[in-house]
Amino acid sequence: MLCLIITLIFVATILCIVEVLLVVRKKEHDMTDEEKERFVRWQNYQITQFSFAINLFLSFSVAALGFCLTLINSRFTPPPGTGYLLLHSAFSLGGAIIFGSLATFSRLWDFRCTAIKIRKKYSDCRQTIAEFLKKWLGSISWSLFYFQLAALAYGAFCLIYVLIMAYGDKFAK
């Protein structure tokens, strides 16, 4: 079990590092007009799909946490030695909800800073701060998304494991 936790955290961390350090974007001034148009179109698809994915996995996390809490409050008795997994599942799914919510807020803040940068709304330090944040908020959003997925995967694994241990004999019939 500890090995699974370490593996999920390791994979999420590696993906975060790749996102922050190795994602190379082509400069707009190096693009032709046709390439800029294609870039903007695909960037719009990416924004839409990324927001959808965050919300989808956030919904799965909320539903799974609700199911987990219902099990805890019902007469369900986990098999001996698996009760801690139900607790791990609840905390992990709660973490997935927190990471998903933070990823959503980070995306919204990224959009806001991008708008400030493009409009050059301010002429003081606020403009510099917005430009600095715009540079990093995209990577932060992706990193939070990866942690959301890792927490959801771990929580779902624990919950499914407990259910299989409790009701596995019914599947064998």
Side-chain angles (χ1 to χ4, degrees):
M1 188 56 61
L2 182 61
C3 185
L4 176 66
I5 296 170
I6 292 170
T7 303
L8 286 172
I9 291 172
F10 180 73
V11 168
T13 304
I14 292 297
L15 290 172
C16 293
I17 291 169
V18 167
E19 180 64 36
V20 171
L21 298 177
L22 300 178
V23 174
V24 179
R25 295 179 178 100
K26 193 174 182 182
K27 301 288 183 194
E28 284 194 31
H29 63 277
D30 294 341
M31 292 187 215
T32 65
D33 288 340
E34 181 182 329
E35 287 177 326
K36 285 181 187 177
E37 183 180 310
R38 288 177 57 212
F39 176 77
V40 168
R41 183 175 66 244
W42 284 103
Q43 195 73 5
N44 186 35
Y45 293 152
Q46 180 185 11
I47 289 169
T48 303
Q49 291 300 313
F50 184 49
S51 298
F52 178 78
I54 290 172
N55 292 332
L56 177 68
F57 293 120
L58 189 58
S59 299
F60 287 161
S61 300
V62 169
L65 181 62
F67 180 70
C68 185
L69 293 177
T70 300
L71 279 178
I72 291 171
N73 289 332
S74 70
R75 294 178 186 230
F76 176 75
T77 305
T82 60
Y84 72 95
L85 288 175
L86 208 53
L87 185 63
H88 280 228
S89 179
F91 281 116
S92 183
L93 293 169
I97 292 168
I98 291 169
F99 287 131
S101 299
L102 289 174
T104 301
F105 289 127
S106 176
R107 301 264 312 139
L108 293 173
W109 206 9
D110 186 15
F111 295 149
R112 185 174 183 187
C113 289
T114 301
I116 290 171
K117 180 183 175 190
I118 291 171
R119 290 188 309 194
K120 303 222 182 279
K121 185 176 180 179
Y122 303 111
S123 60
D124 55 0
C125 67
R126 292 178 290 182
Q127 184 71 29
T128 306
I129 291 169
E131 290 176 8
F132 174 79
L133 288 174
K134 195 274 171 243
K135 180 179 177 182
W136 292 103
L137 283 172
S139 294
I140 290 170
S141 298
W142 278 98
S143 298
L144 288 168
F145 176 66
Y146 296 140
F147 282 115
Q148 176 191 14
L149 288 179
L152 174 61
Y154 178 69
F157 174 80
C158 289
L159 184 60
I160 291 169
Y161 184 80
V162 168
L163 291 174
I164 287 174
M165 293 304 290
Y167 299 113
D169 60 331
K170 295 185 182 196
F171 292 118
K173 293 181 181 179

